[in-house]
Amino acid sequence: MSSSAHLPAHAVVVRDLQYPFGSCHLVRGLCVSAVPAPFFRVVLNQKRGMVFEEMQRPGTPMYNIKAYLPVIESFGFTATLRAATSGQAFPQCVFDHWDVMGADPLQAGSQTNQIVLDIRKRKGIKAEPAPLSEYEDKL
């Protein structure tokens, strides 16, 4: 690629709206009785989790719950859940898949924007994306 085409092509790639991917855990939860199951859903909703299966084990007072939880939200999840259910819920988190983060990373104040800014800060990159004027040829 010629040097005159390199900068405009790079600008298109950098400025194109790109949604980052985030890793997701599969959370398998076991509740001792029906009482903690609603608390399990509440805690997951606070952490951007999504319950997709909930069933009672036949002949027992135990409930199995399966949900997806973004890994970035999983820190402190177990402690919060145990506190909310008085220790009657037992979660197990296992990596399951990668998922597109829903919010626009260029929209100031969005959670995805905050994550991207934290990553850029940690890597020593300028916090805000470079303006398009940096990619114009200077003659």
Side-chain angles (χ1 to χ4, degrees), residues 55-105:
M55 60 185 236
Q56 183 176 5
R57 284 189 178 179
T60 66
M62 296 186 171
Y63 277 79
N64 286 345
I65 297 173
K66 289 186 181 180
Y68 293 127
L69 178 68
V71 170
I72 202 158
E73 298 285 343
S74 67
F75 302 104
F77 169 70
T78 303
T80 305
L81 182 64
R82 293 235 171 111
T85 61
S86 301
Q88 295 185 20
F90 307 97
Q92 178 186 17
C93 299
V94 179
F95 173 78
D96 188 65
H97 65 278
W98 293 93
D99 198 11
V100 175
M101 299 174 107
D104 182 1

Side-chain angles (χ1 to χ4, degrees), residues 11-23:
V12 169
V13 170
V14 169
R15 296 301 294 182
D16 188 25
L17 185 57
Q18 300 170 9
Y19 288 94
F21 280 80
S23 53

